[in-house]
Amino acid sequence: MTSSKLRGRPRRSGPQVSVRVLHAVLGGATGIVWLVLPGMTTRTDVPVAITRPPASAVSAPTTAPAAPAAPAEEGTSAVDLVLPLVVVGVAGALAGYGHVRRVRRSRTRTTPGGAAHSPHAETGVPDERVRAALVAADDRVRAARDELGFVRELSGPEAVAPFAGALREAETELAAAFRMRQRYDDGVPRDAAARRQAQAGITGRCAEAVRRLDAAADGFRRLRGLERGVSGALGVAEARFRELTGRTAAAEAVLADVRAAYAATASASVVGYAEQAKDRLVFATLRLNLARQADDADRPAEAARHLRAAEGAVAQAAVLVGAVERTAAELREATGLVPAALTGAEAGLAPLRGTAGPGDEALTPLLHADAVLSSVRRELTSGRPYDPLGMLRRITAAVSQAAPERAGVTAAAGRLTARSATAAADDFVATHRGAVGATPRTRLVEARRLLTAGDDPGAEALALEARALAEQDVRVRGNPYAAPPSAPDASRPVAVAGTVGTAGTAGAVLGGILPADDPENADPAGFAGRPRSPDGTSPGTPPG
């Protein structure tokens, strides 16, 4: 395997070699001209010296004797022999000096054309490929986690233990890759050579995460045994499907209650989730039916493909429904916490009011915190619907500026809002990963790390950024799949150009369950992955 350092080393270009050769040729040609020129201009006959006569003798010109001119010609021939050697030496020196300067410029320049002008030149691998590797590895790990859940339910925890271990190892490698990318985005390290190594390390970690799953893929396939029939796996998927059908209907009612009880911002993170869950379940219904039909017709490969696509859709429907249920629970918890958070915040600021005076730097954040708390209290007592999670965020942010150390109920409020923001971002990425790039995923993984480390403010800030960037990716890129325009009824399978267009396919592609290039016939994402593209990514992988 080629070392990353060798891959990143700039090649010596042809023009540089041509310039050196040109210098040498010019120097040699100049020397030859100086050597030949004296021979071409020296006569063999007796030289004639022409003398200018004095003004008084213009009318009587005379020819001087030839002998006195001979010494002058001997001096000129010696110079002609020495000058070519001098010219050749100077030309060689100039060529060497130019070469040294070009080498120095190529090592230190930061403008386009130099070895360190961009991450592309730094790594030898385009940065787009690094980000695509992060996306592909994250998709693979997420899909493996979803599929493993179905197999665990059918075969039991002991049977899937080796594969759960492989998944944990892949998750560890991927988390390290995202951590390195976060530091890279933050400008750490700053040294160009270290940044080259960091980029190589990111792609290496992603490749290792995929390798861990690949190493266990054959054993996982044997455990599933789908080539022998899908009836057992179908039973598990259909049972989950029936459970989620009831939960989805309940989630619609819960979401309606949330909209009635709270301000619109309270449910903004889960708007449309019930409809998306139903879309995934419609897709799952059709794929489960196709899987059963293919199994009855003794087409095991086709049955397995439809089954795994249905499993992916059921898993994402569970994420969407769970997000609605969790949001409602968080809002109830926050509602009970807001009055206590207000009281605790005011108590925490009281000691500062007695010490901060005019001109004190602590006075400005204290006045700002007082204004925020007064605004929250007015909203709370106005009788109008409000957003309790939003109120807690405002309280904790304002108090943190005046008194950075969180304690008591303020710390509990910050923990709740950070946990809520991180989960909301994770749900969105999981169900829209077909269009979400590497940057939102990087911020999300870092938010999870900070949440685990107890840095609630940092985790919340990065989680909110991750969600905003992920939504932006979806808006900019849209759904990577365009439904066949000739389909007269989107609720039924339709034959289009030799394929079967099924309802919910667009949602399955947006969710990363199926690739956009051939969603009806390609293998879905899962523990064993999909066939790789020439660039090392899965088909349909979004840009980073």
Side-chain angles (χ1 to χ4, degrees), residues 3-367:
S3 170
S4 60
K5 294 183 179 179
L6 293 178
R7 289 196 301 267
R9 182 177 300 165
R11 296 177 178 270
R12 295 184 178 179
S13 60
Q16 292 177 342
V17 176
S18 299
V19 170
R20 291 195 295 272
V21 172
L22 181 60
H23 275 280
V25 170
L26 287 176
T30 305
I32 291 173
V33 169
W34 278 100
L35 287 171
V36 173
L37 187 61
M40 295 176 62
T41 58
T42 303
R43 300 176 60 90
T44 58
D45 55 353
V46 177
V48 178
I50 307 271
T51 61
R52 183 178 297 274
S56 59
V58 170
S59 58
T62 60
T63 303
E73 180 183 330
E74 291 175 3
T76 303
S77 299
V79 172
D80 290 341
L81 291 174
V82 171
L83 282 178
L85 299 178
V86 173
V87 171
V88 172
V90 171
L94 289 175
Y97 176 71
H99 171 63
V100 170
R101 290 197 62 184
R102 280 192 300 274
V103 169
R104 288 179 178 175
R105 278 202 307 270
S106 68
R107 290 177 179 174
T108 59
R109 68 188 296 178
T110 57
T111 54
H117 73 273
S118 72
H120 294 229
E122 288 179 10
T123 63
V125 178
D127 193 58
E128 288 80 0
R129 184 174 175 183
V130 176
R131 290 184 277 116
L134 284 166
V135 170
D138 189 45
D139 284 349
R140 176 72 178 277
V141 167
R142 288 176 178 273
R145 191 184 301 127
D146 290 342
E147 187 176 7
L148 188 64
F150 287 91
V151 180
R152 181 184 289 109
E153 189 169 341
L154 178 63
S155 303
E158 293 183 2
V160 301
F163 311 107
L167 178 59
R168 285 192 299 272
E169 293 172 354
E171 290 171 338
T172 300
E173 295 291 340
L174 183 59
F178 275 119
R179 175 61 179 148
M180 294 172 68
R181 182 66 193 198
Q182 179 64 46
R183 288 172 56 82
Y184 186 91
D185 290 345
D186 291 339
V188 180
R190 297 188 180 279
D191 178 70
R195 288 178 73 79
R196 287 195 296 270
Q197 293 177 0
Q199 288 283 68
I202 292 168
T203 54
R205 291 279 192 173
C206 291
E208 181 62 18
V210 173
R211 191 196 68 77
R212 297 295 177 99
L213 295 177
D214 286 343
D218 289 340
F220 189 79
R221 292 190 190 96
R222 288 193 296 270
L223 176 63
R224 295 218 71 178
L226 297 181
E227 70 281 358
R228 300 188 299 271
V230 299
S231 58
L234 269 174
V236 172
E238 288 170 345
R240 282 203 189 183
F241 171 84
R242 288 190 294 271
E243 175 201 356
L244 279 168
T245 300
R247 286 176 59 194
T248 302
E252 288 185 291
V254 168
L255 198 52
D257 293 341
V258 167
R259 292 196 190 100
Y262 301 101
T265 55
S267 58
S269 64
V270 292
V271 167
Y273 274 21
E275 290 75 14
Q276 292 182 48
K278 289 193 294 184
D279 181 75
R280 300 292 198 279
L281 291 178
V282 168
F283 175 82
T285 300
L286 296 170
R287 288 302 178 117
L288 289 172
N289 289 337
L290 291 172
R292 191 167 292 282
Q293 292 169 12
D295 188 53
D296 292 341
D298 197 21
R299 298 194 299 271
E302 180 182 342
R305 185 175 73 248
H306 290 310
L307 168 67
R308 292 176 56 223
E311 290 174 342
V314 169
Q316 290 199 5
V319 171
L320 293 163
V321 171
V324 174
E325 296 169 344
R326 188 195 65 252
T327 299
E330 290 169 348
L331 289 171
R332 289 192 297 269
E333 183 179 356
T335 300
L337 196 56
V338 168
L342 269 174
T343 302
E346 290 171 346
L349 296 176
L352 300 178
R353 294 190 181 94
T355 58
D360 192 339
E361 294 182 356
L363 185 60
T364 300
L366 180 60
L367 293 175

Side-chain angles (χ1 to χ4, degrees), residues 221-528:
R221 292 190 190 96
R222 288 193 296 270
L223 176 63
R224 295 218 71 178
L226 297 181
E227 70 281 358
R228 300 188 299 271
V230 299
S231 58
L234 269 174
V236 172
E238 288 170 345
R240 282 203 189 183
F241 171 84
R242 288 190 294 271
E243 175 201 356
L244 279 168
T245 300
R247 286 176 59 194
T248 302
E252 288 185 291
V254 168
L255 198 52
D257 293 341
V258 167
R259 292 196 190 100
Y262 301 101
T265 55
S267 58
S269 64
V270 292
V271 167
Y273 274 21
E275 290 75 14
Q276 292 182 48
K278 289 193 294 184
D279 181 75
R280 300 292 198 279
L281 291 178
V282 168
F283 175 82
T285 300
L286 296 170
R287 288 302 178 117
L288 289 172
N289 289 337
L290 291 172
R292 191 167 292 282
Q293 292 169 12
D295 188 53
D296 292 341
D298 197 21
R299 298 194 299 271
E302 180 182 342
R305 185 175 73 248
H306 290 310
L307 168 67
R308 292 176 56 223
E311 290 174 342
V314 169
Q316 290 199 5
V319 171
L320 293 163
V321 171
V324 174
E325 296 169 344
R326 188 195 65 252
T327 299
E330 290 169 348
L331 289 171
R332 289 192 297 269
E333 183 179 356
T335 300
L337 196 56
V338 168
L342 269 174
T343 302
E346 290 171 346
L349 296 176
L352 300 178
R353 294 190 181 94
T355 58
D360 192 339
E361 294 182 356
L363 185 60
T364 300
L366 180 60
L367 293 175
H368 173 70
D370 285 337
V372 170
L373 296 181
S374 298
S375 174
V376 170
R377 190 171 291 282
R378 285 194 301 271
E379 289 182 36
L380 189 62
T381 58
S382 67
R384 296 190 301 270
Y386 60 88
D387 178 0
L389 281 171
M391 282 185 171
L392 291 179
R393 286 194 179 99
R394 290 159 59 192
I395 292 170
T396 55
V399 172
S400 295
Q401 293 179 6
E405 293 296 329
R406 293 181 177 180
V409 68
T410 305
R415 186 69 178 174
L416 174 60
T417 57
R419 190 178 67 238
S420 174
T422 304
D426 201 357
D427 292 339
F428 188 88
V429 171
T431 53
H432 298 77
R433 62 178 187 252
V436 175
T439 302
R441 300 176 194 233
T442 302
R443 304 296 179 269
L444 172 60
V445 173
E446 183 66 6
R448 286 201 216 108
R449 189 187 71 82
L450 294 178
L451 188 66
T452 303
D455 183 358
D456 296 338
E460 183 173 4
L462 281 174
L464 293 174
E465 181 184 357
R467 175 66 184 259
L469 291 173
E471 290 178 348
Q472 177 179 302
D473 279 354
V474 173
R475 286 194 303 269
V476 171
R477 293 167 181 161
N479 194 317
Y481 172 76
S486 59
D489 184 356
S491 65
R492 294 180 298 171
V494 182
V496 179
T499 65
V500 177
T502 55
T505 297
V509 171
L510 180 61
I513 300 167
L514 297 171
D517 50 1
D518 187 13
E520 302 299 340
N521 300 295
D523 287 331
F527 196 101

